[in-house]
Amino acid sequence: MISVPLDRKTIEDMIDGKLDKRELYKIIAGRKDPERFKMVIEIFQSRVKWKEKILLPLSEHLFIVNKNGKPIVKCSCGYEFGDYRINWKFKARVFVRDTRETIEEIYKKYMGSHPDWMELREYYCPGCYTLLEVEAVPPGYPVLFDFLPDLKTLYEDWLGEKLPCEDVKFEDKSIDYLKEEIMKKKPTKV
Amino acid sequence: MGKGVLRILANRGDLMAKRFPEVFAIDTGGTMTDAFIVDKDGNFAVGKALTTPENESIGILNSLSDAIEEGQWEISLEEAVSQLKTVVYTGTIMLNRIVGREGLSPLGVITTAGFEDVLRFGRGRQAWVEYPYSERIHSASHMFPEPIIPREYVRGVRERILRSGWVMIPLYEKDVEEATEFLLDKGVKAIIVCLLYSFANPEHELKVYEIAKEVMRKRGTEVPIVLSHKINPVLGETGRLNSVVLQVYAAEPSRAQLRMLRDKFRSLGSRASIRLLTSYGTTVSPEHERLIMTLTSGPTGGLIGTKFLGKTYGIDYLVGTDVGGTSFDVGLVVGGEYPILPETSIHRFIVNIPMIAVNSIGAGTGSYARIDPVTQALKVGPDSAGYRIGVSREDGGVDTVTVNDACVALGYLNTEYFLGGKVKLNKKRAIDALKEQIAKPLGIDVYDAAQGVVDYICLEMREYLRAAIVGLGFSPENFHLLSYGGGGPVLVAKYCKGLSFQGIMVPSWAAAFSAFGAAMADFGIRRDISTEIVLPGWRFFDLLKVGPTPELPVGPEELRGFAATTLNGEWEKLRGEVIEEMKAEGLDPERAYFKPMARIRYWGMLDDFEVESPSFPITPEGVNELCKRFDEVFERIYVRGAKSPELGYEVTRAIMVGVYPTIKPKLPEFELEKEEPEESAYKGKREMYWEGKWLEADLLEMDLVKPGNVIEGPAIIEAPATTYVIPPEYSTYLDRHKVFWLIPPGVSKSKYMGR
């Protein structure tokens, strides 16, 4: 079994995908040390140019950060997606592969999905055009909200710390956002 | 009489006589090397020593000396060795090569074009098989084992043989030449040839062999070429290829080590032959062609012993539980037989080799106990200190507490008498470490913490045991339980709590029970080949509107005739191979007896079982009988209602086993003495912690407890190689074969007395 706590180098290698499978398995299946979360945040923080404090990493490039007391989603390039309770995908650039031609750009013939049954939605950062997320869903399926964490519970009950930003109500605000955006558009006359 | 002697002798009056062991069985586990010796009359003695992974022969000889000493056979090691006829080895030499990735490499593979990725894909199950339960259900942990042969050493050749053996695409010979050249350029040390359905028709594999040989001759090089149909002629290319790869990678290079072991015995003046236990329960020589069959034989010894005890007592349903330092193994004897599985996994590679069904989890007496710093929850195992025992062993170099440490703290284990006093344990160290690592973080009493560690590991064992039994559709009430391994008798009361077995048996030689089983294995060679013989049932004919024929359970006469001819042909071929192999091992095939068997399932079902043929050669009527036997086996393992003869039958494998009976230890039978143990058996008292209370337990010497004696708990019965804990309200009875029966509260003693 791997020794805990893990040193910073091991965690950096894990984040960079440099660990071999056996080591990675030991970390996944092994004990967790209480300092691990802090160290992961530190590593990510040291890699971004902006100053806002990272509250929680969402993926390799996306983070929930403390922007003037408000928790928002921010890309490693600096692009801001806004309130973390609104699905960040609404503000991302999207490319949908829903035809044979586009699917066969990345899959060999007959090796990809059938466009009638499944489409691939690729979400890119408008700031740096990094591919942030890919959804594989049936056509017409609503945009997935991957992860809506309860920050207050995480910080106060799990980590035993004070929430380092404003205490915003834990709720999914994506629908409200969509409503607002739709209302902003002028209704078209039929 | 020497104090602390674990001895089971047929005749106690004959105590000091010189005895010469003829059979010496070794079980090299991760923690202990167990020895079991049998003389020509079937008397036996057991010994134990720490495993010495860097040079196994040290531990092996130490355990042999220990057995001679403990059995008081009054001979020197040299004398003992000189008289040995057979040495049976079960151990981890080969397995360690796979675990440490220290086998023969690089190796090359030639396979059917389009199937080059079989090794890399493996089987889905390989991503989690052998994981602890907590990680099986944790999909992020699922990872495929790194293939032993990298993809760039695998070359495809165009050809195709169908399941029927019919050649659909002839072999492109130029492909073979190129592939051979390519692999030789890469510097491979051996070439493995595995083509689709080569067991049905080996024509193409043989042709590849010829062409590759020719290429090598032209180049002036020579590396071994191994053909899959020779090693494992069984359906399923993944399992077949994995088996051959592991054979070439791990088993072949181990032959040298096994020969070294033989030479070691030779140098001590022995002419004994070294035998290896196979995973299907017989022994073969180190020269055996399919050495892969011996790779996972570790837990099979215990099951052979379990079946033997079952026969002696007339018990048909018996579950064997082996508590070692590193693992907990569970195997079932159902209807007097141990089920043999058609495939198993070796270090997470699925292989098509037959194996006695034994399942293990990483829970043993050496399992580490830790507090998860995040959740503050106790976790025990699955990794373990193994032969280093725990913190209580001062020179063990272990910092993390183990189950052993908890047992020491609770007063179950005697610090001065571990391995008969050969290993000294330090109780204070154990208690201090438990306090620091478990009790303090949890804010509880150190003895409650130790109790928690023991309860945790026993809960895991109990749930695993229950699942093994319930999973087959039985309940514990159907079974007797046998507990062995060094740690079995210590924990048996705990891990059986709440499971109402018919009886709980603890042989007094529990510590070397696996070696005992191994010593009992016959010399024998088994050959399997996949077949596809279908005998449709009346439902099939009904569907075809050719008339319901329920009175003909296995179809029309012609089909049974065809089945008989096919089976006889396969059996004859396999028997020829077995005889050849026996001759190569220097055995006289005339003295062997042959068991023709078939693996059968209901047509369309997945579970197949082995049944022995009523005759050889088999007649069409015999085929009927064979199917009936399968019905019986199926009924024993599942339930009567699930039998489905109307579907018909399918013979999936033809099997031939050639067996050469050997000297068997016999279970000694003693006169029953009075219930009250003799005064001399009591060594004193010891404080023992049991479920929140300190109790004063009677301390007894196992060797001085007499058959017929009944001991009331709380009591601890000590032997050099194991400790047997009898909790309060429990009692134990030693029967005439020196097997203890643990009697739980509320169960009448009279049920067991007189046995």
Side-chain angles (χ1 to χ4, degrees):
Chain A
M1 191 71 58
I2 207 152
S3 65
V4 261
L6 295 173
D7 57 82
R8 188 179 163 123
K9 170 95 180 43
T10 310
I11 296 190
E12 282 198 80
D13 286 349
M14 179 180 76
I15 290 170
D16 295 335
K18 285 185 191 159
L19 287 186
D20 79 23
K21 272 192 240 171
R22 285 195 209 194
E23 287 176 83
L24 190 60
Y25 172 75
K26 284 179 189 164
I27 295 179
I28 295 174
R31 292 183 301 150
K32 312 287 181 270
D33 58 86
E35 300 306 306
R36 182 99 43 97
F37 180 75
K38 216 178 261 174
M39 196 179 277
V40 170
I41 298 258
E42 266 173 35
I43 293 167
F44 278 121
Q45 194 82 54
S46 71
R47 291 177 176 192
V48 293
K49 293 207 178 70
W50 31 265
K51 287 283 166 282
E52 289 86 356
K53 284 272 166 273
I54 295 176
L55 299 173
L56 185 69
L58 287 178
S59 68
E60 274 171 85
H61 296 280
L62 285 185
F63 308 93
I64 299 177
V65 303
N66 179 358
K67 171 99 176 173
N68 304 326
K70 296 253 191 302
I72 65 155
V73 176
K74 189 161 178 148
C75 178
S76 54
C77 71
Y79 181 85
E80 291 174 358
F81 288 86
D83 193 331
Y84 90 98
R85 295 167 298 171
I86 297 166
N87 195 349
W88 60 268
K89 287 176 182 168
F90 296 153
K91 290 191 181 165
R93 299 296 187 99
V94 60
F95 179 70
V96 183
R97 296 185 190 271
D98 55 359
T99 61
R100 280 222 185 266
E101 292 69 44
T102 48
I103 286 171
E104 280 168 15
E105 277 173 20
I106 50 173
Y107 285 101
K108 280 187 181 168
K109 198 164 188 179
Y110 304 123
M111 301 287 261
S113 55
H114 192 289
D116 288 355
W117 287 95
M118 187 161 82
E119 60 183 36
L120 301 173
R121 300 179 191 150
E122 299 170 346
Y123 294 94
Y124 293 89
C125 172
C128 58
Y129 289 95
T130 298
L131 178 61
L132 294 174
E133 179 65 56
V134 181
E135 273 175 11
V137 285
Y141 200 86
V143 176
L144 294 175
F145 195 177
D146 296 321
F147 184 35
L148 177 66
D150 180 351
L151 287 178
K152 190 168 191 259
T153 305
L154 171 72
Y155 270 86
E156 293 183 359
D157 296 355
W158 289 28
L159 299 172
E161 289 172 19
K162 228 179 126 286
L163 183 63
C165 64
E166 256 176 51
D167 181 12
V168 292
K169 195 171 170 231
F170 174 53
E171 60 179 344
D172 184 348
K173 294 181 66 111
S174 307
I175 298 292
D176 300 339
Y177 171 82
L178 281 186
K179 261 188 216 157
E180 264 171 48
E181 287 299 301
I182 291 166
M183 295 309 283
K184 273 187 210 162
K185 305 233 156 127
K186 281 182 187 155
T188 34
K189 288 213 171 96
V190 186
Chain B
M1 191 182 297
K3 190 180 161 222
V5 174
L6 169 64
R7 184 196 321 107
I8 307 101
L9 291 176
N11 184 347
R12 294 180 69 85
D14 201 16
L15 215 66
M16 307 302 273
K18 276 195 173 199
R19 295 185 181 280
F20 294 98
E22 290 205 346
V23 180
F24 169 35
I26 313 154
D27 175 22
T28 319
T31 309
M32 294 287 171
T33 298
D34 302 337
F36 188 87
I37 47 177
V38 188
D39 78 355
K40 64 176 187 338
D41 301 320
N43 300 311
F44 58 85
V46 301
K48 236 176 173 24
L50 287 177
T51 296
T52 48
E54 55 295 329
N55 184 354
E56 285 195 340
S57 64
I58 298 172
I60 288 169
L61 288 174
N62 284 346
S63 68
L64 176 59
S65 324
D66 190 54
I68 297 164
E69 195 185 310
E70 299 298 351
Q72 294 197 339
W73 285 23
E74 302 290 314
I75 47 168
S76 68
L77 182 65
E78 285 70 27
E79 277 181 287
V81 166
S82 67
Q83 298 288 322
L84 282 178
K85 289 212 166 74
T86 312
V87 176
V88 183
Y89 172 88
T90 62
T92 47
I93 287 181
M94 289 179 251
L95 215 50
N96 287 346
R97 276 185 195 275
I98 303 171
V99 177
R101 293 296 167 109
E102 287 157 349
L104 186 69
S105 74
L107 301 173
V109 174
I110 295 179
T111 187
T112 304
F115 288 79
E116 295 90 341
D117 289 306
V118 161
L119 269 183
R120 208 159 57 99
F121 288 163
R123 290 267 296 272
R125 271 199 302 141
Q126 289 185 179
W128 52 262
V129 70
E130 296 175 29
Y131 270 6
Y133 183 71
S134 57
E135 297 312 314
R136 285 185 183 199
I137 57 171
H138 189 196
S139 61
S141 285
H142 292 192
M143 290 173 197
F144 285 90
E146 203 59 46
I148 280 178
I149 301 179
R151 174 67 175 81
E152 57 266 35
Y153 287 87
V154 183
R155 299 295 279 187
V157 293
R158 282 171 286 177
E159 64 91 36
R160 196 68 182 250
I161 286 176
L162 299 186
R163 174 65 184 88
S164 57
W166 188 68
V167 179
M168 190 173 83
I169 302 171
L171 181 67
Y172 280 51
E173 300 184 5
K174 192 93 181 102
D175 283 4
V176 183
E177 280 169 30
E178 280 169 15
T180 314
E181 294 277 3
F182 176 87
L183 293 174
L184 291 175
D185 285 347
K186 284 234 172 207
V188 297
K189 298 216 175 87
I191 293 177
I192 292 160
V193 184
C194 179
L195 304 179
L196 283 195
Y197 299 121
S198 60
F199 61 91
N201 178 359
E203 194 183 314
H204 284 177
E205 278 194 3
L206 292 168
K207 206 173 239 173
V208 170
Y209 181 85
E210 273 168 34
I211 297 167
K213 266 269 179 254
E214 183 59 24
V215 172
M216 287 182 197
R217 199 184 54 78
K218 277 189 196 144
R219 287 172 64 119
T221 49
E222 178 83 47
V223 300
I225 305 167
V226 186
L227 307 182
S228 77
H229 78 273
K230 293 230 183 212
I231 301 292
N232 189 255
V234 173
L235 180 74
E237 62 279 358
T238 309
R240 180 149 36 100
L241 184 52
N242 274 344
S243 308
V244 186
V245 167
L246 294 182
Q247 157 87 24
V248 179
Y249 182 78
E252 290 294 342
S254 302
R255 279 190 214 273
Q257 251 166 306
L258 293 162
R259 286 183 194 129
M260 255 162 59
L261 186 66
R262 186 179 57 198
D263 294 345
K264 181 88 198 162
F265 277 93
R266 291 270 185 286
S267 72
L268 289 167
S270 162
R271 290 183 309 275
S273 60
I274 303 270
R275 310 286 303 173
L276 306 171
L277 189 66
T278 60
S279 48
Y280 49 83
T282 61
T283 69
V284 295
S285 88
E287 309 306 324
H288 186 63
E289 188 186 9
R290 301 174 181 178
L291 219 47
I292 177 93
M293 302 294 181
T294 67
L295 228 90
T296 51
S297 63
T300 49
L303 253 277
I304 300 170
T306 303
K307 179 179 156 185
F308 176 81
L309 268 199
K311 271 226 169 84
T312 310
Y313 283 89
I315 298 168
D316 280 347
Y317 291 83
L318 196 57
V319 48
T321 53
D322 184 349
V323 182
T326 22
S327 68
F328 177 64
D329 301 336
V330 177
L332 270 61
V333 170
V334 175
E337 285 294 332
Y338 37 69
I340 290 190
L341 299 176
E343 64 171 34
T344 177
S345 70
I346 297 178
H347 202 60
R348 291 174 56 208
F349 293 105
I350 305 282
V351 289
N352 285 347
I353 63 172
M355 184 182 172
I356 294 180
V358 178
N359 289 308
S360 326
I361 47 168
T365 52
S367 294
Y368 287 121
R370 304 185 182 90
I371 299 293
D372 188 313
V374 175
T375 59
Q376 293 294 306
L378 175 69
K379 187 162 171 19
V380 185
D383 53 336
S384 87
Y387 70 96
R388 294 178 299 154
I389 296 162
V391 181
S392 49
R393 184 179 167 201
E394 284 176 35
D395 55 353
V398 179
D399 299 323
T400 309
V401 290
T402 63
V403 175
N404 277 320
D405 292 324
C407 290
V408 167
L410 296 171
Y412 303 163
L413 295 181
N414 187 342
T415 50
E416 299 299 312
Y417 202 38
F418 198 77
L419 275 187
K422 287 195 191 81
V423 175
K424 291 269 181 290
L425 302 179
N426 184 332
K427 187 166 182 173
K428 190 172 174 304
R429 265 174 73 99
I431 292 175
D432 288 348
L434 277 162
K435 208 178 270 173
E436 196 54 44
Q437 298 173 22
I438 312 285
K440 231 171 158 187
L442 295 178
I444 57 171
D445 175 64
V446 63
Y447 297 103
D448 288 332
Q451 180 85 70
V453 170
V454 172
D455 285 355
Y456 186 107
I457 201 86
C458 289
L459 177 71
E460 259 189 24
M461 291 174 177
R462 181 160 66 235
E463 286 311 308
Y464 193 71
L465 180 58
R466 189 209 304 270
I469 294 169
V470 174
L472 273 183
F474 291 107
S475 94
E477 283 83 355
N478 304 114
F479 283 87
H480 280 74
L481 177 127
L482 190 63
S483 172
Y484 48 89
V490 186
L491 305 176
V492 61
K494 261 264 144 80
Y495 71 72
C496 289
K497 203 178 169 192
L499 303 178
S500 37
F501 289 105
Q502 283 295 318
I504 299 170
M505 303 159 77
V506 181
S508 49
W509 62 102
F513 194 79
S514 291
F516 161 81
M520 242 160 351
D522 290 314
F523 289 17
I525 293 163
R526 172 186 161 124
R527 292 276 167 152
D528 288 40
I529 192 161
S530 278
T531 56
E532 199 179 31
I533 304 166
V534 176
L535 298 157
W538 61 262
R539 274 280 293 281
F540 178 79
F541 295 102
D542 203 18
L543 283 171
L544 288 186
K545 306 278 182 231
V546 290
T549 50
E551 72 284 357
L552 279 179
V554 292
E557 182 70 33
E558 296 78 35
L559 275 175
R560 273 175 288 145
F562 169 75
T565 320
T566 316
L567 276 173
N568 285 333
E570 295 291 2
W571 280 332
E572 196 47 63
K573 198 170 87 191
L574 296 176
R575 197 171 71 137
E577 289 175 17
V578 171
I579 288 176
E580 215 155 277
E581 184 103 10
M582 282 185 160
K583 282 184 184 153
E585 286 189 8
L587 300 174
D588 176 11
E590 292 297 313
R591 284 185 49 203
Y593 68 91
F594 290 89
K595 276 206 294 192
M597 301 200 289
R599 250 195 123 77
I600 303 183
R601 63 185 174 202
Y602 289 121
W603 195 24
M605 284 197 187
L606 288 171
D607 282 338
D608 45 7
F609 298 108
E610 281 173 15
V611 276
E612 198 176 330
S613 167
S615 61
F616 178 57
I618 196 168
T619 56
E621 292 70 47
V623 172
N624 250 346
E625 172 62 23
L626 194 68
C627 293
K628 253 190 221 124
R629 288 187 180 188
F630 169 74
D631 286 341
E632 283 163 22
V633 172
F634 191 90
E635 187 179 321
R636 274 207 302 267
I637 293 180
Y638 294 112
V639 286
R640 186 170 301 160
K643 286 199 297 186
S644 308
E646 73 281 4
L647 298 175
Y649 303 83
E650 184 182 358
V651 183
T652 57
R653 279 194 205 185
I655 301 157
M656 179 60 79
V657 188
V659 185
Y660 196 83
T662 47
I663 311 168
K664 301 261 163 60
K666 60 179 183 216
L667 276 191
E669 210 168 315
F670 299 90
E671 285 296 309
L672 290 180
E673 301 193 13
K674 59 185 192 328
E675 270 186 47
E676 185 63 29
E678 272 172 42
E679 209 48 49
S680 60
Y682 289 93
K683 298 202 292 188
K685 301 224 177 243
R686 189 156 75 220
E687 293 278 298
M688 163 178 138
Y689 195 74
W690 188 265
E691 294 180 354
K693 278 199 282 294
W694 280 104
L695 305 162
E696 189 148 88
D698 285 330
L699 207 55
L700 292 97
E701 180 66 43
M702 190 177 285
D703 188 55
L704 300 176
V705 177
K706 299 276 163 65
N709 286 175
V710 174
I711 295 144
E712 301 287 338
I716 296 171
I717 304 178
E718 290 185 346
T722 189
T723 303
Y724 177 25
V725 176
I726 301 125
E729 293 172 49
Y730 281 64
S731 56
T732 194
Y733 165 72
L734 184 63
D735 75 3
R736 57 179 81 237
H737 295 300
K738 283 222 159 192
V739 172
F740 285 99
W741 294 77
L742 181 68
I743 308 164
V747 177
S748 165
K749 279 184 207 110
S750 57
K751 187 173 169 193
Y752 306 107
M753 305 266 291
R755 285 184 195 230

